[in-house]
Amino acid sequence: MKRCRECRVCFGRNNSLEESVEKSLEPTLWPRLRLECAGLNFKRHQLARLNLRFASLISAVDVPEEGDSGVERARAAVEQATERLLQRLLCTVADLDSRFATKFLATLASKAERAEHRPWPGRRFHYMIRLDSLSWPPLYPAPEADSDFDNGETEEVASSTAFFDEGEAGVLPPGWLRVKPAQGAAQQAWAEFLTPSGCLRRDRVVERFAMLLSQAAGTNTNDSETDESRVCGSPGKVLDAALLQQLLSQIQPQHQLFYGPSEAQRCRPPDPRDFQLAVVHENGAGPVTLHIGFLAPSLQLAFPPDARNIVKVHLHVGVALSGWPLGPSTFPSRLPLHHPLALLAYQSTQNGYFAVAAPPPPNLRCEERRSAWAAAFPTLELELDEHFCASSTPRRTLNVLRHLVSRMKKEANDDDDSESLTTVDDYTLRTLVWQQLERWTSVNAWEPASLAAHVLLALDSLLAALKARHASHLVLPDCNILCQTPLDASLVAKYGDHEEAYDAAMVEDTQLVMDCLLRLYQAGTSTSPLPQGVSWDGEEEERRAAALEAALLRRWGNALNTVSPLPPEMLTSSLTRFEKISKFCCGQDTGDPPTPEQFSSRQLDFLAKLMLEFLRFTKCCYAPQYKEGNEAAVDVGSLRCSSGSEETEDFLFLLQAVINQALGSAAHTTNSKQVKRRCRQNTRRAQTDKQQVWQEVVCDSVRREPLAIGVLQNEMALVRLLLKWLFKATELAPRALKRRLANFLTQLWATSREAVWYLPEWKKHRQEAQDELNAMAAFCTMLLNSQEGWTGVAVLKDAAEKGWSWAKSAQSELVRSGCLQFVLAPAKGVVRRCDVALAIQPSPRDTSPTQVSKQVSRSRTLPAKGTRPTNISQDELTLRLGHRRGSSGHCGSLIPAHQRLKDGSPMTVALDNRRRHGQQFALSSLVHAFIAMHKISVLQDVASLLPPHERQPVLDALQKLSRARRQTRKHSSFESDGKFTLKNPEFPLLELVGMKSNESTGGRIESANMACNILSTCRNARNLQRRHSLYSSLGAGLIYSTSPASVRRRHAKDSSRQGIALLQLANNGELTLHSRNTGLDSSQMF
């Protein structure tokens, strides 16, 4: 059999479909898998066997059990009643104490994860109670926006300041922080919850919230109208934490549109007396748990006869903070720029993180535990999860791990009454999958045949973490997530000490994981069917789906080499990113790095977007470190470089940031033995001196060549100039650094070579979502400017006819329910409700564009949506060629009204459409990449693997798409790379109805001149870096510390000492040197 070069799976024309499908289940990356910690070797046929077994387990879990429709309807009703009751209780809590008011109810699970099938009973609900009075972004920003922050930050952005290191309150363990309200009204309002050092006490906040929740459970309020400007009473305000931060930071309050409760829900709001409620909390430790017991006989059908009719709701009190933890080992600071998910990670971190009310474990040293808050990063974690669909390899890996852990617990409980894996929870399993995404950076490494390999590698990593008693957090590696799982009280009482109980639990969990790996090793060699009656119905579908994706991956290399051939002087082996041991780690030379001329214009466009997001992330790390009124300091290098022009210094900051990031990321991936060998040859001090001399030479060379005007006006010229200086810096670098920089440039060229074909669809996807938000903002402006009683039904029909998705979904819900309520809260204390009703069901003749134009004036209509001149949906084509479909959760007829209004809310849908939900490990789908390459024939060849009843529709769709693409080249509204540009003469109408332009939104909408945007972001980040740290040496010597208070405390005994000085940076940029006896201006010091 003739085999292809790029892949070990053959799909030649003379090969049968059965042979192709059979070979596609064998992993191409791992001919043999070695588990270092477990000491097991898995061969290729064992991995193929485990792939089938794991696929059968997933198919058995994903398919819900067939039962009575009344049971499914009762379960849906239980979820609806739980969420509505919780919203009612939180509204009462806000009325009792306005400091605990929350306008939105944030879930810690995404929409796709909630739709997956979960066994009953035991369904738990986790919500984030966001304290809006302390959180960032503020609900209603100040009118004067600060132009230095292009992510929606204003003067009120510093509502709280968090720090990780040692401060006034003492030592903190890694992963915990302290929240300090800003001076002024916020500090006075929370005075009773503050420590003597001004930090917020976690225990008092949780106890107060639990007391308010208990009072709300015993209070019955008949008022159905709630103040939607500060509380969460509408179904559309329930969304996940990542979407919530995006909504508040990127959309103005007057443009936020939500679905209100249905007419039936308004007539009868939930009454707490209809439930059995119990509020449980442990002295301010952990989340507040709400036990809800259902008394209605119709809702009791959702629970098995032998189970209690109780649902547990976990409420995590949290404060949303701006910025991101600063450090070279944090994520994504350690993520190299050439990582395929770097662009996604940099964008996700710009929405901040949370401080959650959770205490440190008893076995960790912590001073003043009452003020310690746990750091949580749902904004990043949810975006990583939602980047992949339910049928992708990362999500299937997580499902298999969950199933294996549940089987470990069940088998252990059969022999012993105690529950097993006490130190491993679901968050630990998710962290293992995220670390796998960071480690394996190739599309081929995440093919369907690699499912078993990733499951085994994750279990081996878990085994190593249990033996080492430390599992690293994704963002903060020094934080141990194993010790955060609370131990059972009986286990602690058995051993008498928490430390001994923790060690004993670790030993038991280690043995259970090792036994699981041994059973998997035996299952890979045996041919017996799966135990416990698991069927093999999904085997044929799994084989065919693996063959489809393997065919796409095999043809991807050929197509990429055709449109973007490799330079002859570059080594092919250095471009293979998914090799386990690269030439660089072995100490071999990778060859000369690519020159700037070898980067195409498409690659420069991608790198410009990547550099812009990287700079925004860098600025985000420095932004929360500065606070108005604090004594801040400036880096010595930043002051000494003030002789050149501002544009040159901005470019130099970008160059230094990229070099530091390249060297830092390479240090995390370098072989430890090689580092030790280098340390023996050269001391650390000698290496540091050489690196400083090299950096000074590079900086002086850049300053001697001023930036040309063309570079400032073209982002591609700016990026090419950056690559030019990176190439020069590599040539001038010492030998120890030259290899690392050369390898960085080579991998950057290889990654951008592939990513340019994903970028058009990625941009189009986000641009379409932004267009939906813009049209929705225009509709909100119409509602606010209209007279009282105007419903806007005609405008809604007109928007649906013009192709806006949010209007179509609203019209569908209106037809289904007969009544729909829009809720707007443009300002604090101002609520506008718009009830839309249909007296007559719409007919085709009533909704024609001619009839609509008669009912609505042209001055009050929305702009038309630009569409592609094609008759086929590329997303539907991707779904068919992907051949897998995720679980849909509840049946359409069983979805309650609250669930439909929550998931179908316009803001939630528009923001969720930015997410990819894709199959492959990339920014976009391979199908879209082939279409951008104009490789329709490749997709037609792959479609031959489909079943006969699916093959012909796909071939017809591809033929229509090919014909449309040829016609598209004649139109000016489409570029040659497949990027969609909207050209509509009606779009200036947005300014007439109150839409703000790009300049007036403070950078919320990306500017067309990316070069100026990159340089302006460099300047903002450079100014924030100057305000970040104190001098380490200047004249008599300045003191370096984390906060001015710690400086004064450490040197209180030596107050008469001369030379103790601080630099204060004012808002106008002036520096003043303050000491005990003198106050000098910064100009006198240089």
Side-chain angles (χ1 to χ4, degrees):
M1 180 183 298
K2 184 179 179 181
R3 292 186 176 269
C4 304
R5 296 180 179 178
E6 290 79 9
C7 182
R8 293 182 174 89
V9 183
C10 180
F11 290 93
R13 297 181 179 178
N14 298 327
N15 298 330
S16 62
L17 178 62
E18 291 74 10
E19 293 179 353
S20 301
V21 171
E22 184 69 27
K23 291 295 183 181
S24 63
L25 289 175
E26 296 182 358
T28 60
L29 184 59
W30 291 280
R32 189 187 65 175
L33 180 63
R34 169 71 178 177
L35 301 182
E36 298 295 337
C37 187
L40 300 176
N41 293 323
F42 287 83
K43 298 182 180 179
R44 181 175 298 177
H45 71 276
Q46 292 178 291
L47 297 178
R49 179 68 181 174
L50 289 177
N51 282 331
L52 288 177
R53 298 174 70 89
F54 290 158
S56 301
L57 293 176
I58 294 175
S59 61
V61 173
D62 289 342
V63 177
E65 299 178 359
E66 297 182 0
D68 188 9
S69 60
V71 176
E72 294 294 331
R73 197 180 302 274
R75 292 178 178 179
V78 165
E79 296 181 12
Q80 173 182 256
T82 301
E83 209 156 70
R84 290 188 60 209
L85 175 63
L86 180 59
Q87 288 184 277
R88 190 66 178 177
L89 294 177
L90 292 179
C91 292
T92 308
V93 168
D95 295 336
L96 296 175
D97 194 340
S98 60
R99 294 173 297 182
F100 291 85
T102 175
K103 185 179 177 181
F104 300 90
L105 182 58
T107 64
L108 296 180
S110 60
K111 176 182 176 182
E113 188 173 355
R114 293 195 306 268
E116 294 180 357
H117 177 67
R118 288 289 184 269
W120 280 72
R123 176 76 182 265
R124 298 182 179 181
F125 301 85
H126 295 264
Y127 297 96
M128 177 76 71
I129 307 301
R130 182 182 184 268
L131 301 180
D132 293 336
S133 58
L134 291 174
S135 298
W136 175 91
L139 297 179
Y140 301 98
E144 301 83 15
D146 190 356
S147 59
D148 292 338
F149 298 91
D150 59 354
N151 55 356
E153 297 170 319
T154 62
E155 293 181 355
E156 300 180 5
V157 68
S159 60
S160 57
T161 302
F163 50 92
F164 288 87
D165 49 357
E166 181 179 357
E168 298 180 1
V171 179
L172 276 170
W176 273 263
L177 52 89
R178 291 188 174 94
V179 178
K180 201 170 187 178
Q183 297 179 359
Q187 195 171 22
Q188 295 176 2
W190 295 86
E192 60 177 304
F193 301 98
L194 299 182
T195 61
S197 58
C199 299
L200 194 65
R201 286 189 56 172
R202 180 204 69 256
D203 56 344
R204 289 185 179 179
V205 172
V206 175
E207 289 175 359
R208 176 64 175 171
F209 175 75
M211 183 185 67
L212 293 174
L213 193 63
S214 301
Q215 295 179 5
T219 304
N220 181 27
T221 57
N222 297 323
D223 187 14
S224 60
E225 295 292 336
T226 58
D227 186 5
E228 294 291 344
S229 63
R230 64 184 186 93
V231 298
C232 177
S234 301
K237 290 186 177 181
V238 182
L239 66 169
D240 64 70
L243 296 183
L244 172 59
Q245 291 297 100
Q246 294 179 25
L247 185 145
L248 293 177
S249 61
Q250 300 174 10
I251 302 176
Q252 299 179 0
Q254 61 269 23
H255 296 159
Q256 298 175 6
L257 181 67
F258 308 99
Y259 285 163
S262 62
E263 187 176 1
Q265 294 174 355
R266 281 175 283 171
C267 295
R268 190 181 184 281
D271 191 354
R273 294 176 298 181
D274 297 338
F275 307 88
Q276 292 180 348
L277 302 179
V279 180
V280 181
H281 75 100
E282 299 178 1
N283 299 326
V288 177
T289 305
L290 178 64
H291 295 257
I292 303 177
F294 296 90
L295 302 178
S298 59
L299 298 181
Q300 293 179 2
L301 295 176
F303 303 89
D306 55 345
R308 301 177 61 187
N309 305 333
I310 294 178
V311 170
K312 296 182 181 180
V313 181
H314 299 273
L315 305 177
H316 303 264
V317 180
V319 179
L321 305 176
S322 62
W324 199 258
L326 182 63
S329 62
T330 60
F331 186 92
S333 297
R334 67 176 184 268
L335 199 67
L337 284 171
H338 52 74
H339 196 279
L341 299 182
L343 187 61
L344 174 67
Y346 292 149
Q347 285 188 338
S348 303
T349 54
Q350 298 172 20
N351 297 319
Y353 60 106
F354 283 84
V356 183
N363 57 341
L364 294 182
R365 180 195 174 193
C366 179
E367 298 180 4
E368 198 171 317
R369 291 177 173 271
R370 299 172 298 178
S371 61
W373 296 64
F377 308 90
T379 55
L380 172 66
E381 296 164 359
L382 289 174
E383 291 298 325
L384 289 177
D385 289 340
E386 291 304 300
H387 188 69
F388 303 96
C389 62
S391 60
S392 61
T393 304
R395 293 286 294 273
R396 298 169 74 231
T397 302
L398 179 60
N399 292 335
V400 173
L401 290 175
R402 287 171 174 171
H403 180 78
L404 293 177
V405 169
S406 64
R407 289 186 59 183
M408 291 182 202
K409 293 184 178 181
K410 184 175 181 180
E411 293 176 1
N413 290 337
D414 292 340
D415 300 333
D416 190 5
D417 295 336
S418 62
E419 188 174 346
S420 62
L421 288 187
T422 54
T423 59
V424 178
D425 55 359
D426 187 73
Y427 185 79
T428 305
L429 301 181
R430 294 173 63 192
T431 304
L432 293 174
V433 177
W434 295 330
Q435 292 174 351
Q436 291 287 97
L437 292 174
E438 181 183 3
R439 178 184 179 186
W440 303 100
T441 61
S442 173
V443 180
N444 301 57
W446 292 96
E447 60 181 353
S450 62
L451 173 63
H454 286 293
V455 171
L456 295 174
L457 288 173
L459 290 176
D460 189 65
S461 300
L462 178 60
L463 181 63
L466 290 173
K467 290 183 177 180
R469 304 294 193 269
H470 181 87
S472 299
H473 192 276
L474 175 67
V475 180
L476 305 171
D478 295 335
C479 178
N480 187 9
I481 61 178
L482 289 179
C483 62
Q484 299 184 19
T485 305
L487 297 179
D488 189 67
S490 60
L491 184 62
V492 178
K494 178 181 178 181
Y495 292 94
D497 183 68
H498 189 278
E499 187 71 24
E500 295 182 0
Y502 179 76
D503 293 339
M506 285 285 186
V507 174
E508 295 178 1
D509 292 351
T510 303
Q511 186 62 36
L512 287 174
V513 175
M514 187 63 195
D515 294 341
C516 178
L517 287 173
L518 292 176
R519 288 195 301 268
L520 292 177
Y521 181 81
Q522 296 176 359
T525 57
S526 64
T527 58
S528 59
L530 284 174
Q532 299 181 358
V534 178
S535 61
W536 292 85
D537 297 337
E539 180 177 350
E540 185 64 26
E541 182 180 358
E542 174 66 21
R543 291 171 179 268
R544 197 174 299 276
L548 283 172
E549 190 162 351
L552 289 174
L553 292 175
R554 182 186 66 86
R555 288 161 174 79
W556 172 246
N558 288 335
L560 194 63
N561 293 331
T562 302
V563 297
S564 179
L566 298 176
E569 60 272 12
M570 296 182 62
L571 297 176
T572 306
S573 58
S574 63
L575 300 179
T576 309
R577 303 188 318 271
F578 57 86
E579 290 181 354
K580 187 176 180 181
I581 300 178
S582 62
K583 280 192 170 186
F584 173 71
C585 295
C586 297
Q588 302 179 11
D589 192 5
T590 57
D592 296 334
T595 60
E597 291 75 15
Q598 294 174 347
F599 286 82
S600 63
S601 59
R602 296 175 183 270
Q603 291 175 282
L604 296 179
D605 184 25
F606 169 76
L607 292 179
K609 180 65 178 176
L610 181 62
M611 295 302 169
L612 179 61
E613 298 300 332
F614 171 66
L615 288 173
R616 287 176 176 174
F617 164 71
T618 304
K619 186 185 68 173
C620 183
C621 292
Y622 287 116
Q625 309 297 335
Y626 171 73
K627 184 180 176 181
E628 186 178 357
N630 286 359
E631 297 163 342
V634 184
D635 190 13
V636 180
S638 301
L639 286 177
R640 293 179 179 175
C641 68
S642 59
S643 58
S645 63
E646 289 294 331
E647 291 78 8
T648 303
E649 300 305 327
D650 295 337
F651 176 77
L652 186 58
F653 176 84
L654 174 60
L655 178 62
Q656 291 177 345
V658 174
I659 290 178
N660 293 335
Q661 205 276 346
L663 297 178
S665 61
H668 286 286
T669 57
T670 306
N671 194 350
S672 59
K673 295 182 180 180
Q674 185 181 3
V675 174
K676 293 180 181 179
R677 190 183 306 115
R678 292 175 181 175
C679 292
R680 297 191 194 101
Q681 297 175 359
N682 301 318
T683 62
R684 182 178 301 178
R685 184 176 183 85
Q687 291 182 358
T688 304
D689 294 340
K690 290 182 180 180
Q691 185 173 353
Q692 291 179 355
V693 173
W694 165 64
Q695 289 182 351
E696 292 178 0
V697 171
V698 174
C699 293
D700 294 339
S701 302
V702 174
R703 293 191 183 99
R704 285 195 297 266
E705 297 184 11
L707 298 179
I709 299 179
V711 175
L712 302 178
Q713 298 177 353
N714 190 350
E715 69 275 5
M716 292 188 181
L718 181 63
V719 175
R720 193 178 293 276
L721 181 63
L722 175 65
L723 295 174
K724 169 189 172 183
W725 282 109
L726 286 175
F727 187 80
K728 289 185 178 180
T730 304
E731 294 179 343
L732 299 175
R735 183 178 180 182
L737 303 179
K738 186 174 183 179
R739 291 183 177 181
R740 292 157 65 177
L741 287 176
N743 186 67
F744 169 77
L745 287 175
T746 303
Q747 294 184 353
L748 187 65
W749 184 91
T751 302
S752 60
R753 174 174 172 257
E754 297 185 16
V756 295
W757 304 109
Y758 302 126
L759 191 63
E761 186 63 27
W762 184 82
K763 285 184 176 180
K764 181 192 76 69
H765 202 62
R766 300 181 69 87
Q767 184 61 39
E768 288 179 352
Q770 186 63 43
D771 293 341
E772 293 280 343
L773 292 174
N774 293 343
M776 200 184 309
F779 181 74
C780 294
T781 306
M782 290 182 183
L783 291 180
L784 295 175
N785 296 337
S786 62
Q787 298 179 357
E788 191 70 25
W790 181 73
T791 60
V793 179
V795 177
L796 187 63
K797 291 182 180 180
D798 178 71
E801 289 294 332
K802 290 182 177 179
W804 297 110
S805 301
W806 65 269
K808 289 182 179 180
S809 61
Q811 192 177 30
S812 301
E813 180 63 30
L814 186 62
V815 172
R816 182 171 185 173
S817 60
C819 182
L820 191 63
Q821 184 182 78
F822 293 111
V823 178
L824 296 95
K828 188 175 182 179
V830 179
V831 181
R832 179 70 182 273
R833 293 178 175 88
C834 180
D835 294 325
V836 182
L838 286 181
I840 303 176
Q841 296 297 331
S843 60
R845 61 179 182 179
D846 295 332
T847 58
S848 61
T850 306
Q851 296 293 333
V852 172
S853 61
K854 293 180 180 180
Q855 301 173 7
V856 186
S857 173
R858 293 297 298 174
S859 61
R860 302 185 68 180
T861 59
L862 296 181
K865 180 180 180 180
T867 56
R868 292 171 176 255
T870 177
N871 298 324
I872 182 63
S873 172
Q874 296 184 16
D875 296 332
E876 180 66 22
L877 184 62
T878 305
L879 185 63
R880 292 184 181 182
L881 287 179
H883 196 71
R884 288 196 182 99
R885 293 170 175 82
S887 58
S888 58
H890 296 294
C891 259
S893 60
L894 301 180
I895 298 178
H898 177 84
Q899 188 75 16
R900 295 198 315 267
L901 295 176
K902 178 183 69 173
D903 295 337
S905 185
M907 283 294 163
T908 304
V909 174
L911 292 174
D912 187 71
N913 286 339
R914 293 181 177 180
R915 294 169 172 172
R916 172 177 170 250
H917 304 287
Q919 181 80 21
Q920 288 86 20
F921 182 77
L923 283 178
S924 181
S925 173
L926 284 178
V927 177
H928 294 294
F930 280 120
I931 294 175
M933 291 180 178
H934 303 282
K935 297 291 184 181
I936 308 297
S937 58
V938 175
L939 299 179
Q940 293 174 347
D941 191 14
V942 175
S944 61
L945 297 177
L946 290 172
H949 64 280
E950 296 183 8
R951 184 185 310 158
Q952 192 59 39
V954 172
L955 293 177
D956 295 341
L958 289 173
Q959 186 177 3
K960 294 179 181 179
L961 182 61
S962 178
R963 188 182 306 111
R965 297 285 292 188
R966 289 194 298 266
Q967 295 177 358
T968 299
R969 300 177 184 178
K970 303 178 182 179
H971 297 275
S972 59
S973 61
F974 289 89
E975 299 180 1
S976 59
D977 58 350
K979 182 172 61 176
F980 174 65
T981 57
L982 183 62
K983 293 185 178 181
N984 195 311
E986 291 182 305
F987 242 93
L989 183 63
L990 293 178
E991 299 180 0
L992 299 178
V993 297
M995 286 293 294
K996 292 187 177 182
S997 60
N998 295 344
E999 292 78 13
S1000 62
T1001 56
R1004 295 185 182 182
I1005 302 176
E1006 187 174 312
S1007 175
N1009 193 347
M1010 191 178 297
C1012 296
N1013 207 350
I1014 292 176
L1015 291 178
S1016 63
T1017 309
C1018 284
R1019 185 167 302 177
N1020 294 335
R1022 185 163 58 93
N1023 293 335
L1024 290 173
Q1025 186 191 30
R1026 296 173 62 187
R1027 300 173 177 180
H1028 171 252
S1029 60
L1030 295 174
Y1031 280 116
S1032 58
S1033 61
L1034 178 63
L1038 292 179
I1039 301 170
Y1040 175 81
S1041 178
T1042 57
S1043 62
S1046 59
V1047 173
R1048 293 190 294 267
R1049 184 178 66 255
R1050 293 176 184 176
H1051 297 275
K1053 299 180 181 179
D1054 194 9
S1055 59
S1056 61
R1057 173 184 171 186
Q1058 299 295 330
I1060 299 180
L1062 292 174
L1063 277 182
Q1064 182 176 3
L1065 181 63
N1067 293 333
N1068 56 3
E1070 297 181 357
L1071 284 172
T1072 305
L1073 177 64
H1074 293 273
S1075 63
R1076 179 176 176 83
N1077 299 323
T1078 61
L1080 302 177
D1081 186 74
S1082 60
S1083 60
Q1084 304 176 7
M1085 299 158 47
F1086 297 96

